[in-house]
Amino acid sequence: MLSESIYGNYETAWCPGCGNFRILAALKKALVESNLTPHEVIFVSGIGQAAKTPHYLNANLFNGLHGRSLPVATGCRLANHQMPVIVETGDGCTYGEGGNHFLAAIRRNINITLLVHNNQVYGLTKGQASPTSDEGFITKAQPHGVYAAAFNPIAVAVALHAGFVARSFAGFEDHLTEMIKQAISHPGFALVDILQPCVSFNKVNTFAWYKNRCYRLPETYDPTDWSAAILKANEWGDQIPLGVISKNSRPPFEAHFDCLGHTPLARQQVDKAKLKAFITHYR
Amino acid sequence: MGRQELHVLIGGEAGQGLVTIAMILTKALVRSGYYLVVNQSYQSRIRGGHNTFAIRVSTEEIIAPRQRLDFLVALNQETVDWHRTEIAPDGLILLDERFADADQRCVKAPFKQFAEEKFANVAYLAVLNKLLGLDEQVVFQTLEDYFGAKKPEVTEKNRQIFSAAYEWASGRNLPETVRLAPVAPQEHLMLNGNEAIALGAISAGLKFCAFYPMTPATSISLTLQAAADDLGLVVEQAEDEIAAINMAIGASYAGVPAMVATSGGGFALMVEGVSLAGMTETPILIVVAQRPGPATGLPTRTEQGDLEFILHAGHGEFPRAIFAPTTIEECFHLTRKALILAEKYQSPIFLLTDQFLADSYRAVAPFEIDALDATSVGSSPEEVSLPYQRYALTDSGVSPRLLPGQSTHLVVCDSDEHTSDGHITEDLTVRILMVEKRLRKSAGLRAEVTLPEYQGDNRPEVLFVTWGSSCGAVVEAAAELRLRGHRTAALCFAQVWPLIPDQFLSYLQGADNVVMVEGNATAQFTRMICRETGLDLPHRILRYDGLPMTPEYILGQFQSGGF
């Protein structure tokens, strides 16, 4: 059994009391319990406080642009489909700027684990509304309250038949660890939407707010029943379900490429004989 | 005897099978041993409209498209109306007998008699075969190969139509004014610019391409896709250009040579990714096939209007190189060089072409595949100093690049300013060191610049200077002026950045007159040369009507320009 210490212990740039600390702790535990050593995993992140998480781990890391972590992760995974690829982002990054990539990654069912730190607010830019802010949420940028309807990532992911859709809460570390572990082991696209209090800028959706509403799905709940999942995905407000909301066994995107059968693309060379044969088409 | 050179234009509506017969004819000409330059012109529609496929054929090597036509093949009346004035006095027009036209130069054939509308193009091909004096077997074999994958009954039907029309043509006393002089068969390839770019990239080790379809770049990705199953490539149609470039960057980080191909509008979306590659020092090849802008512009036409955009694309300061191939052979070889340099200098490297070159077919000598190197990706884990630092400060500015998962070392890359080990920093001393490290790579890129090519008289009266796909027209225009008694020369740039004045200043200073020639309205390359050399270069021939540079255009402007 590996020890969490192999993932290091770093000083962070997060506010005291931030939900990110609990997510980082759960993530380390999930990696260790999944028996992954640091060099065997690739982390990709975008921009935002959540996207800094991989910097506080010993890990292979590509910290790219705001909203663009999923395309980068897709490229990584296609280049080396034998390495788990984990994307660490926030609600603004993935559901806002990267919305189109979110839809496309689900549709491809690329084998990536997407961990979204969803605090319903933009933390790094000091408190503007995010795509998941509830309607009426008041900020300096939205002084009359948010006019737009909140984006429901779970409902969208289920509607698009995402391979694995789960929700957890930063306050329930064990539950979160379990969800991340299951997401990593799922052979296809896996979303874990993580409810996470922002102690500095979200005075509405606090630890207590989430804690009073979140409940674990019962063991009798069947995540492979898509129609039931659609109903469950739309539950939000007084009751917020946590757990694996939906999953299926669609083949992962990588499985469609014969050339990715055994050897990762990153270890393949040009076959000159085959290139010569291909060029004869131009005779 | 026959003609040493001929310019034939086939025109008609989209959907009439124009491209099919034009492609078969072009391939038959290449197989027969002729050289050619194709200039395709099409409209942004799938059916109807006016499309042309112009083939300039020669018994000798040629490099430029031409305007004046010797032979017009009209699949519809509109083609005759559009192009009548471009036909030489001793030229020929082939058209259906139903079209009303009294031009003395017309050859009318009863195409309807040989085939229903859908197959009329095959009848045209047969009559063309006869008029050009090509070997019937070569043309028919090319036709069969073209439809090879189709059902036997389709081949049989084509054979019948072809034979009937060929027999009709053989039984007539047709003019021999467009007959080609015979040549020895050659083993040449028939390639356009986009195909040559794709093949060059594969030969250099390309393994990944992501794209969002955009004319005129799309066929680069489609050529790669056609090769993907055989050659083990991943080609992915991304959700948008932003995703395309980020995917390619991700693939490159994880260890495969990667590229994107697009046009100006798509590249506009990719620009943040260019900057990302610059900061993270991730190798990537970016091909931009130019078309006239701004915005959607003229989607199917050509221009050299994006040079300064590419030069400055991406915020912040980081080194880059920009290639602009002048021929199909260079599309192959400079793509290879660009991909190899991208890896060597861990930088975004650009290949800048345009619609004319992208779609221009030529006869190309086969490449010596065995002699070509592929790029070697990443450093060896045994050779790095420990602890491993992705952005270790080095004299060359190039740090050892390990690939994630191929050793126990961790590979950390960041779009934020970062320390040597790849982690975010706000230490401004580190910032200075990192800026300087990245910029030191320019020295390496400058040492590997592809030299501009000078052709013609020493101390010329007129030196034409140009870049990219306009080079062929400029070289031929200079040669024609020489025949008229002028001392002329041409200076052609196939790499437009970095520009190193020591490599070409003496040419500019040694000419009585320097005339800059470019396919844009504001003389973008001229401005770059002036900025780098301090010279003033006021004489310019610019074209921005959506059509490629031709010798006729240059000579016309030259005569009226009073240079």
Side-chain angles (χ1 to χ4, degrees):
Chain A
M1 190 70 190
L2 301 168
S3 143
E4 280 164 51
S5 63
I6 60 167
Y7 279 95
N9 198 5
Y10 294 85
E11 198 181 311
T12 74
W14 293 327
C15 308
C18 177
N20 281 334
F21 291 105
R22 313 282 283 271
I23 299 175
L24 178 61
L27 175 61
K28 283 186 192 173
K29 212 178 284 178
L31 288 166
V32 164
E33 288 176 17
S34 301
N35 209 25
L36 289 167
T37 49
H39 74 276
E40 293 173 323
V41 193
I42 294 177
F43 276 88
V44 180
S45 63
I47 297 299
Q49 293 294 13
K52 290 178 181 168
T53 308
H55 277 291
Y56 309 139
L57 285 170
N58 286 327
N60 291 301
L61 159 63
F62 191 98
N63 184 194
L65 299 174
H66 191 49
R68 312 302 174 210
S69 46
L70 283 170
V72 171
T74 301
C76 287
R77 182 72 194 172
L78 290 168
N80 192 339
H81 68 284
Q82 291 177 347
M83 289 185 81
V85 177
I86 301 174
V87 172
E88 195 90 23
T89 69
D91 40 326
C93 202
T94 287
Y95 304 143
E97 190 101 22
N100 194 22
H101 310 312
F102 177 63
L103 302 182
I106 292 172
R107 290 178 50 228
R108 283 192 186 94
N109 199 32
I110 182 96
N111 189 345
I112 283 172
T113 300
L114 172 63
L115 307 179
V116 184
H117 303 210
N118 180 0
N119 57 14
Q120 302 180 257
V121 74
Y122 280 74
L124 192 57
T125 53
K126 302 190 175 177
Q128 302 80 16
S130 96
T132 52
S133 298
D134 290 319
E135 256 183 284
F137 183 71
I138 292 170
T139 78
K140 275 187 189 165
Q142 288 80 22
H144 308 298
V146 170
Y147 298 145
F151 182 76
N152 181 338
I154 302 285
V156 170
V158 174
L160 290 174
H161 297 268
F164 179 98
V165 185
R167 180 190 280 129
S168 191
F169 167 46
F172 299 159
E173 207 174 297
D174 288 348
H175 184 264
L176 180 54
T177 304
E178 181 57 28
M179 289 301 106
I180 296 174
K181 267 168 60 184
Q182 286 192 33
I184 291 172
S185 66
H186 177 80
F189 184 82
L191 164 69
V192 185
D193 185 70
I194 306 164
L195 301 174
Q196 171 224 0
C198 173
V199 292
S200 295
F201 298 108
N202 190 337
K203 307 294 186 193
V204 178
N205 310 106
T206 59
F207 258 108
W209 190 92
Y210 289 122
K211 214 164 181 175
N212 290 336
R213 287 165 172 77
C214 289
Y215 74 95
R216 290 174 173 81
L217 286 167
E219 280 184 15
T220 52
Y221 178 77
D222 176 10
T224 65
D225 179 344
W226 185 80
S227 305
I230 280 283
L231 290 175
K232 204 41 86 181
N234 281 295
E235 227 178 270
W236 180 265
D238 292 341
Q239 291 278 295
I240 302 174
L242 302 184
V244 181
I245 311 263
S246 181
K247 69 176 175 183
N248 61 43
S249 52
R250 281 173 65 200
F253 187 66
E254 307 89 296
H256 300 295
F257 296 87
D258 282 349
C259 63
L260 303 185
H262 299 290
T263 313
L265 211 50
R267 295 205 190 101
Q268 297 179 28
Q269 299 299 320
V270 197
D271 186 329
K272 286 188 174 176
K274 285 183 177 168
L275 177 57
K276 279 197 261 188
F278 181 73
I279 288 181
T280 60
H281 298 319
Y282 297 92
R283 279 268 161 81
Chain B
M1 247 311 272
R3 303 179 65 129
Q4 303 294 321
E5 190 178 321
L6 185 74
H7 189 200
V8 45
L9 183 140
I10 307 170
E13 286 179 17
Q16 284 191 305
L18 177 152
V19 172
T20 304
I21 54 161
M23 289 284 287
I24 295 167
L25 178 65
T26 306
K27 187 159 256 195
L29 286 164
V30 171
R31 286 180 175 182
S32 302
Y34 295 99
Y35 293 90
L36 43 83
V37 173
V38 165
N39 179 24
Q40 290 196 61
S41 167
Y42 45 97
Q43 294 182 309
S44 193
R45 53 194 290 178
I46 303 303
R47 299 268 166 202
H50 177 62
N51 294 336
T52 63
F53 196 107
I55 313 166
R56 184 181 167 214
V57 196
S58 174
T59 55
E60 307 288 329
E61 280 196 62
I62 47 171
I63 44 180
R66 287 275 173 173
Q67 268 163 240
R68 202 186 73 151
L69 300 174
D70 303 304
F71 185 17
L72 180 68
V73 179
L75 269 62
N76 61 0
Q77 179 70 47
E78 201 188 7
T79 299
V80 186
D81 300 339
W82 273 67
H83 298 283
R84 191 192 305 278
T85 58
E86 297 162 23
I87 309 168
D90 60 343
L92 202 66
I93 304 171
L94 173 65
L95 72 172
D96 190 280
E97 62 179 8
R98 287 173 297 166
F99 303 157
D101 207 287
D103 196 304
Q104 292 296 311
R105 300 168 292 185
C106 285
V107 170
K108 294 191 173 188
F111 290 112
K112 209 180 167 187
Q113 179 186 311
F114 312 128
E116 69 256 43
E117 201 71 45
K118 206 174 122 190
F119 288 90
N121 60 343
V122 176
Y124 265 94
L125 182 68
V127 177
L128 274 170
N129 186 168
K130 190 71 198 168
L131 282 166
L132 295 170
L134 299 174
D135 184 324
E136 187 196 350
Q137 289 307 314
V138 172
V139 178
F140 190 77
Q141 184 61 51
T142 311
L143 172 75
E144 239 185 22
D145 292 349
Y146 193 87
F147 289 111
K150 303 236 168 143
K151 295 174 192 157
E153 53 266 35
V154 176
T155 309
E156 185 46 37
K157 178 145 196 180
N158 280 322
R159 182 192 298 280
Q160 282 170 13
I161 296 165
F162 189 87
S163 300
Y166 193 81
E167 210 169 292
W168 176 88
S170 304
R172 295 289 174 290
N173 191 17
L174 294 179
E176 298 194 354
T177 51
V178 295
R179 274 189 173 242
L180 287 163
V183 287
Q186 300 271 12
E187 289 287 291
H188 285 155
L189 307 172
M190 176 180 132
L191 285 180
N192 67 27
N194 278 356
E195 289 166 344
I197 287 168
L199 295 178
I202 297 170
S203 75
L206 183 89
K207 284 282 159 202
F208 184 87
C209 171
F211 74 105
Y212 188 83
M214 187 169 185
T215 305
T218 309
S219 64
I220 297 171
S221 305
L222 297 185
T223 304
L224 292 170
Q225 183 63 273
D229 289 346
D230 284 353
L231 282 147
L233 314 175
V234 172
V235 180
E236 173 62 0
Q237 181 177 322
E239 54 272 27
D240 54 35
E241 286 90 346
I242 300 171
I245 193 166
N246 279 280
M247 274 185 204
I249 288 171
S252 180
Y253 162 73
V256 301
M259 72 181 274
V260 291
T262 186
S263 186
F267 181 68
L269 289 179
M270 291 184 175
V271 169
E272 63 167 13
V274 174
S275 190
L276 176 66
M279 180 53 126
T280 58
E281 305 191 40
T282 309
I284 183 169
L285 170 61
I286 300 160
V287 182
V288 181
Q290 297 165 100
R291 68 190 216 189
T296 312
L298 291 171
T300 63
R301 305 296 171 177
T302 201
E303 196 164 272
Q304 295 181 292
D306 295 340
L307 175 58
E308 288 185 317
F309 178 36
I310 305 299
L311 178 66
H312 299 294
H315 53 290
E317 299 170 296
F318 53 92
R320 72 186 71 201
I322 310 172
F323 293 94
T326 71
T327 62
I328 305 301
E329 286 83 354
E330 279 183 355
C331 283
F332 182 89
H333 289 292
L334 291 180
T335 300
R336 292 177 42 73
K337 183 171 179 182
L339 198 71
I340 290 167
L341 288 187
E343 178 63 38
K344 189 168 172 186
Y345 294 99
Q346 303 174 19
S347 285
I349 304 286
F350 296 89
L351 193 87
L352 191 52
T353 70
D354 51 49
Q355 180 268 327
F356 162 61
L357 196 59
D359 294 331
S360 183
Y361 286 96
R362 315 273 170 98
V364 178
F367 305 108
E368 298 289 337
I369 299 296
D370 286 326
L372 301 173
D373 292 344
T375 181
S376 129
V377 181
S379 309
S380 159
E382 291 77 38
E383 288 164 12
V384 300
S385 33
L386 299 178
Y388 172 63
Q389 297 193 315
R390 172 66 189 87
Y391 300 111
L393 298 170
T394 59
D395 290 343
S396 67
V398 179
S399 310
R401 182 167 104 92
L402 293 187
L403 311 177
Q406 300 198 0
S407 68
T408 54
H409 304 308
L410 300 178
V411 187
V412 179
C413 292
D414 203 298
S415 67
D416 285 78
E417 191 55 273
H418 39 254
T419 51
S420 293
D421 63 2
H423 287 290
I424 293 175
T425 185
E426 295 192 38
D427 181 329
L428 304 186
T429 313
V430 172
R431 159 71 181 174
I432 293 168
L433 292 173
M434 281 296 156
V435 169
E436 292 171 352
K437 173 196 124 63
R438 288 189 289 270
L439 292 180
R440 277 201 294 280
K441 295 193 282 184
S442 329
L445 285 170
R446 289 170 68 85
E448 302 204 40
V449 162
T450 297
L451 293 175
E453 199 176 324
Y454 184 89
Q455 296 181 41
D457 295 283
N458 291 324
R459 299 208 58 82
E461 294 165 47
V462 183
L463 169 66
F464 290 110
V465 181
T466 190
W467 62 281
S469 76
S470 292
C471 289
V474 164
V475 168
E476 289 202 12
E480 287 199 23
L481 276 180
R482 202 169 304 126
L483 290 176
R484 297 180 198 173
H486 296 276
R487 278 181 294 114
T488 59
L491 182 63
C492 296
F493 285 78
Q495 183 168 2
V496 290
W497 190 258
L499 279 176
I500 301 170
D502 283 352
Q503 292 175 345
F504 58 85
L505 194 57
S506 62
Y507 297 129
L508 300 178
Q509 288 167 335
D512 298 345
N513 282 295
V514 174
V515 179
M516 301 298 296
V517 184
E518 301 186 53
N520 60 58
T522 58
Q524 297 184 21
F525 186 59
T526 307
R527 269 205 298 280
M528 285 168 64
I529 297 254
C530 292
R531 200 177 67 203
E532 297 301 312
T533 60
L535 295 177
D536 180 26
L537 300 168
H539 303 317
R540 291 140 190 209
I541 292 175
L542 305 172
R543 184 166 203 178
Y544 42 91
D545 57 1
L547 300 175
M549 199 62 78
T550 60
E552 291 101 319
Y553 184 88
I554 296 168
L555 294 171
Q557 296 279 309
F558 182 74
Q559 274 148 11
S560 61
F563 300 131

